[in-house]
Amino acid sequence: MQGVGFRPFVYRVAQISGIHGYVLNSSGGVVIEAEGAGPAINEFLRALRQQLPPLASIAQMTVSEMKPRGEQNFVIRESVPNAGQFALVPPDVATCADCLREIATPGDRRSGYPFTNCTNCGPRYTIIRDLPYDRPKTTMEPFRMCARCQAEYQDPANRRFHAEPNACPDCGPSLALVSAEQLASGSLPAFRSGRESSAILAWVRRLLRDGEIVAIKGLGGFHLACDAANDRAANLLRERKRRSGKAFAVMAKDLATVERLCETTGADRALLESVRRPIVLMRRRPDAAIAANVAPGTATLGVMLPYTPLHHLLFDESPGYNALVMTSGNMSEEPIVSRNEQAWPRLKNLADRFLLHNREIQTRVDDSVVQVFEGQVYPVRRSRGFAPEPIDLGMQLSEILACGGELKNTLCLTKDHYAILSQHIGDLENLETMEFFRETLDHLQRFFRVSPVAAAYDLHPNYMSTRFALEESGLRPIGVQHHHAHIASCMADNGLRGRVIGVALDGTGYGTDGRIWGGEFLTCGFAGFERRGHLQYVPLAGGDCAIRQPWRSAVAYLRSAFGSEALSLPLPLFEKIPRRQIALLDRMLTRNIQTVETSSCGRLFDAVSSILGLRHETTYEGQAAIELEMAASEASPSNLKSYPFAFRASNPFQINMAPAIEAIVRDSIARVTITEISARFHRTVAQVVMDSCLRIRETNGLNRVCLSGGTFQNLRLLGHTVEGLRGCNFEVFVHHRVPPNDGGLSLGQAMIANEVLMS
Ligand SMILES: [Zn+2]
Ligand SMILES: [Zn+2]
């Protein structure tokens, strides 16, 4: 355990217990030599376990006896390199209350200083270059501590005792604010002194108040920031970030501001204020003072609290705003920008001004995103504050690299009984993201001293992660089916062994029959799976276009339900989409030209969204489904019946959704509200899951159900499903440490590959 104030803590406990010896960080963990009388040693060990500092936890403690050496005192020793063992690299930690107080205290030497930190808080994963975690092996290396900082660093009684990134305005990193024009000239600004921070930040606050878009270099990369209540600024930012309708995250000044923006629960508030400081998705209040274009088409808002001194200072001195848009500094799906030199070439068309600092970001890390389900964390994106904290799997594993999927990629390394899941890497669709993938793999492999013996990969032949495993990794490749990986990930998340019923609902996953799966009912363990049932295939035409154009799914489903009469139905879709295009698609479907069969649940949601006239074309993944979920949000939960559907008793069984589509169309034509139709549709999918699980249980008695796949980010669906399954006495498991979407896929791949290696 490093970087969490553990060594100073050990020192203090040793002083109190009268123990002599030393403590040091090695890459294998913390080593303590304690010399003293038997009772004193016992007291010392008890205190270590019971009085841990807030950020520390002991994963494993090994005690062995040795001959007394006659130590005269207790010291903290310099770190020694110790290759080959397992070490923990801590995630970054939000600014602590003590540091905040100093920053806010006029006259304090760190008053207004945006890089203040101590052993309880500050940058970690983002600045560590190598182990053991010591200042020379971080990006703080170029900053020489001044005498006062050095004294703090060496004083065991000080909060900054061995705080590796310790800094003050005299010796630490500093800010520079530059215009786009200045950066365009190709030269980086001079970073003068940390003492100029206050003046620079006052200027930034003024710019933000006046509606400018500022690119701000933060902890794990750049954010694009603007006043979240300013319509003009939000519209401009959305325009510049291309036409995507994806919601922007917001940083709120404090908890009171969050409560004015969103309906919060105790669990939401605890997460918002936790040292991990994720973005929490919550239900937005109708009167929230947020520009319409910040999160269009959703009933939720993703909000986080400031997590670095720099962020806190952006809200200092009543700047005239209480919430800032803080969206990742990148174009659409490229990785987040982290270096000053990249700011201009990559963000030039996005921001008016650039707030830079001269502490390098070694490792790029995006903000994490979570939801709360039944009072528990339900991750959407596991990144800053979480990564690279190892996930305890409670079982010994081989050393494996799992390469993940294509979208929302994360990679996973396993060692001992831990999974080390990377931060969010992004969509592996371009060279930049693939470079980020390689870079992250290199870091994590070095930090955790992992030498993988195999590379697990998705069966999709065109994924870049698949190609990496097969052509580049040089490791034994082990292919894993996408939905099997989802369920294995949910099992690992919950520490399950043996066999379960797996329900994997998502958009796209390559099937063992070469078709696109996504509405899957499996029985499986880590060793192998059986496909017991799935949504009946519908043909989808137009390749990747079909994913961005829900109207294509709608036409396919309408055809499956109404045959040739489908095209003459009085639906909004046929007014919005040119006849010509529909006729062309119809010909492709009927003649099987460029079609692929899919059982995707995502496409079913797309179809219904388009049939109801909500969304015919999308600008980001999952948009049609998100808007369909939102449409149901006002529906009263009681007495809504599900629509009909039919089982075809083949092996695997197939679920025919045509009767539901027929009923939805009838309701839509009869002007039943979209709210009610959408709510009943959600009930229907939950009912499909319930009936399918009952069928499977009848044949084999399995009673544990794992729910995974991106579709289960839909909390309305998840809620109905969990409730229904529990009503049938199933034991239900959902994710709580890794995301149900493809961000959690690599964990499942690793578990399955481990099983293959053992057999
Ligand atoms: Zn602190
Ligand atoms: Zn200093």
Side-chain angles (χ1 to χ4, degrees), residues 109-110 144-150 152 166-172:
R109 74 190 195 94
R110 289 189 174 84
R144 229 193 121 115
M145 272 186 268
C146 67
R148 295 170 82 178
C149 284
Q150 187 69 39
E152 292 168 340
N166 187 25
C168 79
D170 292 327
C171 65

Side-chain angles (χ1 to χ4, degrees), residues 219-539:
L219 186 63
F222 275 85
H223 280 120
L224 295 166
C226 70
D227 177 0
N230 185 322
D231 276 296
R232 205 176 42 83
N235 292 346
L236 191 61
L237 180 56
R238 189 159 293 287
E239 244 168 63
R240 289 180 183 176
K241 272 207 114 183
R242 297 190 183 148
R243 59 209 154 67
S244 167
K246 203 170 187 170
F248 295 144
V250 163
M251 182 177 277
K253 178 175 187 274
D254 50 23
L255 204 54
T257 306
V258 182
E259 286 175 286
R260 282 195 298 276
L261 298 176
C262 295
E263 290 163 20
T264 65
T265 64
D268 292 324
R269 292 190 292 274
L271 276 164
L272 283 163
E273 291 198 295
S274 73
V275 294
R276 302 183 194 273
R277 293 281 157 116
I279 295 168
V280 182
L281 293 178
M282 291 164 294
R283 208 179 153 84
R284 185 191 338 191
R285 289 189 187 281
D287 59 349
I290 289 290
N293 231 339
V294 168
T298 72
T300 57
L301 191 65
V303 187
M304 60 184 150
L305 289 175
Y307 55 84
T308 68
L310 175 61
H311 296 145
H312 285 282
L313 292 165
L314 291 173
F315 294 98
D316 206 18
E317 299 191 335
S318 318
Y321 50 79
N322 289 315
L324 291 170
V325 166
M326 280 289 221
T327 186
S328 294
N330 55 8
M331 269 317 234
S332 51
E333 299 305 332
E334 290 173 5
I336 190 166
V337 175
S338 66
R339 307 180 77 87
N340 290 338
E341 308 86 72
Q342 295 172 325
W344 166 248
R346 303 241 337 254
L347 301 175
K348 59 184 170 189
N349 299 320
L350 297 173
D352 306 313
R353 309 275 182 143
F354 295 77
L355 179 61
L356 310 178
H357 64 68
N358 58 349
R359 187 180 72 204
E360 249 185 73
I361 296 171
Q362 173 68 20
T363 300
R364 287 174 277 185
V365 185
D366 283 270
D367 295 317
S368 292
V369 184
V370 301
Q371 292 181 295
V372 169
F373 178 71
E374 295 187 330
Q376 302 274 334
V377 189
Y378 192 63
V380 176
R381 182 163 82 193
R382 185 183 182 275
S383 212
R384 177 189 45 78
F386 292 87
E389 188 177 283
I391 297 170
D392 190 350
L393 300 169
M395 63 186 270
Q396 186 73 28
L397 289 106
S398 307
E399 298 192 10
I400 293 165
L401 159 67
C403 298
E406 176 94 331
L407 302 179
K408 304 181 171 70
N409 180 280
T410 61
L411 63 86
C412 180
L413 290 164
T414 54
K415 179 163 177 162
D416 294 348
H417 44 98
Y418 293 103
I420 301 123
L421 199 69
S422 75
Q423 73 272 33
H424 168 79
I425 292 171
D427 298 352
L428 295 183
E429 292 173 321
N430 53 55
L431 294 174
E432 285 85 359
T433 327
M434 206 51 222
E435 209 30 63
F436 187 18
F437 177 97
R438 291 190 188 92
E439 180 187 300
T440 304
L441 174 58
D442 176 64
H443 284 163
L444 291 177
Q445 243 182 290
R446 267 191 305 120
F447 290 170
F448 293 93
R449 323 265 180 210
V450 186
S451 312
V453 295
Y457 66 94
D458 193 275
L459 295 179
H460 200 300
N462 297 334
Y463 284 0
M464 285 175 101
S465 52
T466 299
R467 288 204 214 135
F468 179 87
L470 294 175
E471 295 161 17
E472 211 179 313
S473 73
L475 301 170
R476 173 182 166 185
I478 299 175
V480 177
Q481 200 281 323
H482 192 92
H483 302 96
H484 186 202
H486 271 310
I487 302 305
S489 168
C490 185
M491 288 177 66
D493 203 333
N494 290 281
L496 302 183
R497 308 281 178 269
R499 291 182 76 74
V500 301
I501 300 175
V503 182
L505 303 184
D506 68 359
T508 302
Y510 198 80
T512 49
D513 58 1
R515 291 166 170 154
I516 300 300
W517 295 7
E520 308 306 314
F521 298 89
L522 315 177
T523 56
C524 66
F526 296 131
F529 74 97
E530 234 185 299
R531 193 189 195 197
R532 301 299 302 272
H534 61 88
L535 292 180
Q536 197 171 309
Y537 287 124
V538 293

Side-chain angles (χ1 to χ4, degrees), residues 154-165:
Q154 286 168 340
D155 174 6
N158 194 287
R159 202 172 89 247
R160 297 199 164 87
F161 182 55
H162 278 258
E164 306 303 342

